[in-house]
Amino acid sequence: MYTNVFLATAFSSKSPKEVVVLKDCLFCIDEQGIIDRIVEPDHADYERILDEYVHTHAFRKIDEGSYLLPGFIDLHVHASQWAQAGTALDIPLHEWLSTYTFPSEAKFADLEYAKVVYEDVVQTLIANGTTTALYFATVHKEASVLLAEICAERGQRGLVGKVVMDLAQECPDFYRDKDTETALRDTEEFILKIKEIAKTTKQGVYPVVTPRFIPTCTDEVLEGLGALAAKHDTHIQSHCSESDWAHQHVQERFGKNDAQALHDFGLLQDKSVMAHCNFLSDDDAKLFAETGSAVAHCPVSNAYFANSVIPIKRFAGMGVDIGLGSDISGGFSPSLYDNSRQAVMSSRMLEDGVDPSKSAELRGVNDSRITIAEAFYFVTAGGGASLSLPIGRLEEGYAWDVQRIDTTVPTAKLPLFDVNEPLLDIFQKMMYLVRPENIREVWVQGELVHSRG
Ligand code: GUN
Ligand code: FE
């Protein structure tokens, strides 16, 4: 009655600080790609299920030296910016957008070009263990639909937004919505089209209402988008309080912080995910917690454009949902392993401080560090909670979104020399040392979507 039964050792987050080891368990997957049961070796049914499946095609024993992790969830990625990843990171955000990024995104009016880049970014993210991604596409409706179609075909769970930017002062003529009315009409048509595609997509694709950020949007479009999200019950994404410049810009326009302004336009709700959020006040963070809005923490990108390290531990402690984002190409790396590592390192630098001319007591912000287990929580269970989807945990009722990590790959062997090494140490080594070569197989909703070597 199960479609697949895996015998494997796996790791999953139980809580932000606690990683559970599921040693030699049977993972029983149903036809919908959902984990129906996880059976531990000492359970009375273990031998019976093993006997029943061991000689069938449904059964798979994961080899020695390989471990399963939940697929990672990228809460903030600009699919179009994959074409410029790693370049132009030496200029400030405002200049980067206007001189570099907007011209680069404008090229996605060409569907042929869009197809080449989007195919590549979706496959690259999957190969890096990312099973769910919350994407910004571009302003172009057709190319945005194409991105969702590619996710659907490749088997990745894609949440896709057609970007809205209609404010003439901040957006060039060659790259913005024609006018407010067109922006809202295109968004609604986009939502309906994606909901159509979703009907035949096992792992799901979802439309996302996507005002780029307040500085590029008129009041009318922000209000209209809040209403559209409510009408069609969609996810919402934007950028919030990312840098000194962006934070100040919104203060000058509305006399309030991004968070409050977004809330006033109906853009903070349970399925909202806001990128960066470095400059949230405590009141802003409370508003996030009350509305169920999530922070997409993008630690690699923040090192270039955010002028600060976000106090992520503080916001997590206030009950805000948090996940990680690559923010390609503000962040250069398509890997959420890289971003997990950077999240830990940035938090350590925030805690200790960075200016050696200051005395130790004045240098940093106490109690700011997170552990690699907390970063793992953000990139799995935290991302799932942020999106209000049953993903990111190896638990009954959750989707079988999984990556197989082979620690023995000759070109990327992990330093494991002691046969009695504790499994939680192996887990930490994986989080810090895994490279794409180690990610040998990836499943989404029970389907194999990537296999290497
Ligand atoms: N703010 C508005 N647009 C963008 C973008 O594309 N990247 C980043 N990092 N910040 C933004
Ligand atoms: Fe971004």
Side-chain angles (χ1 to χ4, degrees):
M1 66 167 182
Y2 298 124
T3 304
N4 289 104
V5 174
F6 294 88
L7 167 53
T9 295
F11 300 88
S12 181
S13 267
K14 191 163 190 166
S15 67
K17 288 192 171 27
E18 195 186 350
V19 176
V20 281
V21 182
L22 298 157
K23 190 172 180 330
D24 297 327
C25 287
L26 295 175
F27 297 86
C28 307
I29 314 305
D30 73 14
E31 208 180 350
Q32 273 76 49
I34 303 290
I35 303 170
D36 187 74
R37 279 189 79 178
I38 300 176
V39 186
E40 304 204 20
D42 55 6
H43 193 280
D45 292 344
Y46 191 87
E47 292 303 327
R48 180 182 61 74
I49 297 173
L50 194 56
D51 283 351
E52 194 176 323
Y53 283 93
V54 72
H55 297 300
T56 70
H57 288 302
F59 185 75
R60 168 79 188 276
K61 182 180 188 307
I62 297 298
D63 304 335
E64 255 334 83
S66 277
Y67 302 92
L68 302 183
L69 296 179
F72 287 172
I73 298 166
D74 193 334
L75 277 195
H76 184 62
V77 44
H78 298 262
S80 61
Q81 293 177 19
W82 177 231
Q84 62 180 44
T87 60
L89 290 170
D90 300 316
I91 50 180
L93 177 62
H94 188 241
E95 194 184 337
W96 178 79
L97 286 171
S98 56
T99 64
Y100 206 81
T101 302
F102 292 167
S104 171
E105 290 190 14
K107 293 193 214 161
F108 286 72
D110 176 355
L111 282 175
E112 290 295 308
Y113 177 69
K115 185 168 164 48
V116 174
V117 178
Y118 286 163
E119 287 277 5
D120 197 62
V121 72
V122 170
Q123 298 206 57
T124 301
L125 293 191
I126 292 172
N128 276 277
T130 298
T131 48
T132 297
L134 176 55
Y135 287 111
F136 274 58
T138 59
V139 294
H140 316 98
K141 184 180 67 179
E142 287 79 13
S144 303
V145 170
L146 179 65
L147 174 58
E149 285 169 347
I150 290 169
C151 292
E153 273 164 33
R154 296 285 158 201
Q156 189 183 47
R157 188 176 300 95
L159 297 93
V160 180
K162 175 215 125 40
V163 175
V164 171
M165 39 196 286
D166 69 330
L167 186 60
Q169 291 118 270
E170 282 293 329
C171 311
D173 292 343
F174 63 81
Y175 190 56
R176 69 161 181 264
D177 292 290
K178 187 160 152 272
D179 51 41
T180 305
E181 203 189 317
T182 313
L184 292 173
R185 188 171 4 111
D186 279 358
T187 299
E188 187 158 33
E189 286 170 10
F190 173 78
I191 292 169
L192 296 173
K193 181 76 192 157
I194 304 309
K195 289 198 172 203
E196 253 334 283
I197 299 170
K199 286 180 187 161
T200 53
T201 305
K202 186 179 181 189
Q203 77 278 12
V205 286
Y206 301 81
V208 185
V209 161
T210 306
R212 182 172 203 119
F213 65 154
I214 286 178
T216 55
C217 294
T218 60
D219 291 12
E220 296 71 34
V221 102
L222 292 165
E223 202 173 317
L225 289 175
L228 277 180
K231 178 176 170 192
H232 294 288
D233 186 25
T234 69
H235 290 80
I236 298 173
Q237 62 181 342
S238 191
H239 297 84
C240 176
S241 293
E242 176 180 7
S243 62
D244 286 313
W245 167 74
H247 182 61
Q248 233 91 69
H249 191 95
V250 177
Q251 261 294 340
E252 275 159 32
R253 179 161 148 198
F254 291 116
K256 51 184 121 161
N257 285 351
D258 258 4
Q260 189 60 55
L262 289 164
H263 186 50
D264 292 347
F265 288 117
L267 294 166
L268 289 192
Q269 40 101 320
D270 197 39
K271 292 198 288 183
S272 297
V273 178
M274 296 296 153
H276 309 300
C277 300
N278 287 55
F279 290 93
L280 292 192
S281 68
D282 276 5
D283 281 345
D284 295 339
K286 276 187 208 139
L287 188 57
F288 266 62
E290 278 161 24
T291 55
S293 301
V295 170
H297 173 31
C298 307
V300 174
S301 171
N302 285 175
Y304 296 94
F305 291 138
N307 312 119
S308 60
V309 173
I310 185 176
I312 201 69
K313 181 168 185 189
R314 180 178 179 77
F315 295 156
M318 293 174 72
V320 179
D321 281 341
I322 292 163
L324 295 188
S326 63
D327 193 25
I328 288 169
S329 68
F332 56 80
S333 174
S335 163
L336 289 171
Y337 286 91
D338 285 347
N339 276 279
S340 301
R341 295 157 195 165
Q342 186 65 51
V344 173
M345 292 190 286
S346 293
S347 78
R348 299 292 293 249
M349 293 171 93
L350 179 62
E351 179 165 308
D352 284 345
V354 294
D355 182 352
S357 74
K358 296 212 166 98
S359 67
E361 317 77 72
L362 298 176
R363 205 179 294 137
V365 181
N366 269 337
D367 195 22
S368 293
R369 68 170 71 179
I370 61 165
T371 62
I372 197 71
E374 284 166 292
F376 174 66
Y377 175 84
F378 292 153
V379 85
T380 56
S386 296
L387 294 171
S388 307
L389 293 173
I391 56 174
R393 293 174 186 265
L394 299 181
E395 280 177 24
E396 290 164 10
Y398 280 72
W400 185 251
D401 292 3
V402 166
Q403 39 183 330
R404 173 167 76 87
I405 306 304
D406 183 350
T407 62
T408 69
V409 178
T411 56
K413 214 150 44 76
L414 263 57
L416 300 173
F417 303 108
D418 176 356
V419 288
N420 295 316
E421 181 146 5
L423 284 163
L424 282 173
D425 286 359
I426 297 176
F427 164 77
Q428 293 181 54
K429 286 181 174 174
M430 289 198 290
M431 286 305 292
Y432 278 116
L433 294 169
V434 158
R435 304 210 303 245
E437 294 98 301
N438 302 104
I439 305 171
R440 293 291 291 273
E441 288 172 296
V442 178
W443 291 264
V444 179
Q445 202 82 34
E447 301 291 327
L448 186 68
V449 297
H450 173 72
S451 165
R452 188 184 183 103

